[in-house]
Amino acid sequence: MAAMPAFARSIRLRRPPLLARVPGPFVPKVDLAAVERAWERLVEANPRYFDGPVLHVLGVSRNGHGGTTIHVVETSYRFYAVQRPGLVGGLDCGVRPLGAKGICRVVEGDADRRSTRYVMARRSQSVAFYPGAWEFAPGGGLEPDDDPASCVLRELAEETDFEAVRPPIAVAILEDPVALSWEVVHAIDVRPSRTADATHAWEHAERRLIEHGAWPAPLCAIAERMTRFCIDS
């Protein structure tokens, strides 16, 4: 498991975060030719990579009453992708995208014999961050017009075979210095879906339902922090 620096920020939420959108696009002050060369190497190694707009986090501040304001600006995905660890010619462009993750809970049985399991997935070896490690599913980056709740529901349909029983609840925003991102974490009660098809979710090598506390190893550092928000009932 990749170690999480002690300074990584964690903010509990009592209500959904607010997004303050700053006019863009954001272009980092780096060697753009070097970015292009690094991007070409990434695409050559994995044609699934494609460029597109993402939201870069400029800052996160508390706004009282258990809320936060996340200041974001649109930028290009390639500025984030070339920060991949171990990439020859890779560089840190300072881009920290905003993502949304779900802690998806399946509660089964009655009051006398109730079990709680969570939707988890093992990341494939071809992903940029945490290859081969386990994480909570789903998760993904926000598109420019997204809000975190809509994003996590879209990723739920794309990455799993479950659907939400009720709207997701934002419980925290976490800084992930390993994956160089900020993540809005949601608690979601789910049930099997008759229409979902996650066979195209190439980021994951396998998916399982995991009992509360029986977390698989190795666990992503960000997933380790997310276990604090899991409820066994």
Side-chain angles (χ1 to χ4, degrees):
M1 179 184 72
M4 185 69 70
F7 57 82
R9 292 184 64 187
S10 175
I11 302 174
R12 286 183 176 267
L13 297 174
R14 295 179 182 174
R15 54 190 174 90
L18 300 177
L19 298 189
R21 301 174 188 271
V22 176
F26 171 78
V27 178
K29 296 180 180 180
V30 295
D31 184 343
L32 298 181
V35 170
E36 184 64 25
R37 291 192 296 270
W39 173 253
E40 290 176 354
R41 282 190 290 272
L42 277 178
V43 174
E44 182 179 359
N46 187 348
R48 292 181 182 271
Y49 278 100
F50 66 93
D51 201 4
V54 297
L55 292 179
H56 162 53
V57 176
L58 296 171
V60 179
S61 59
R62 299 179 186 270
N63 59 22
H65 306 291
T68 61
T69 298
I70 308 172
H71 300 268
V72 295
V73 62
E74 186 175 318
T75 191
S76 174
Y77 172 74
R78 69 174 60 200
F79 293 131
Y80 173 62
V82 299
Q83 300 174 144
R84 174 175 180 157
L87 176 66
V88 177
L91 63 162
D92 188 350
C93 298
V95 170
R96 303 297 183 261
L98 180 61
K101 290 184 177 295
I103 300 175
C104 293
R105 185 177 70 153
V106 182
V107 179
E108 300 169 312
D110 53 29
D112 295 326
R113 296 180 59 85
R114 179 168 295 181
S115 65
T116 303
R117 295 189 292 173
Y118 289 87
V119 183
M120 302 194 74
R122 182 168 59 84
R123 293 173 64 80
S124 71
Q125 293 295 332
S126 61
V127 298
F129 302 97
Y130 299 120
W134 285 86
E135 67 178 354
F136 289 93
L142 270 70
E143 298 175 359
D145 295 329
D146 262 346
D147 63 81
S150 297
C151 175
V152 79
L153 288 176
R154 183 182 66 247
E155 296 295 333
L156 177 67
E158 293 179 356
E159 293 186 2
T160 79
D161 294 318
F162 292 87
E163 62 183 14
V165 175
R166 55 186 61 87
I169 299 173
V171 296
I173 179 168
L174 305 179
E175 179 192 11
D176 187 346
V178 177
L180 306 176
S181 65
W182 285 87
E183 306 291 341
V184 180
V185 178
H186 299 79
I188 315 174
D189 287 340
V190 299
R191 63 191 173 199
S193 171
R194 295 182 179 180
T195 59
D197 180 11
T199 57
H200 64 285
W202 64 271
E203 298 95 337
H204 294 146
E206 62 177 307
R207 292 178 295 276
R208 295 181 190 171
L209 287 177
I210 304 295
E211 292 184 359
H212 185 278
W215 314 121
L219 200 62
C220 293
I222 190 75
E224 174 68 29
R225 295 169 71 197
M226 289 170 64
T227 62
R228 304 170 191 172
F229 302 97
C230 295
I231 300 173
D232 187 12
S233 63

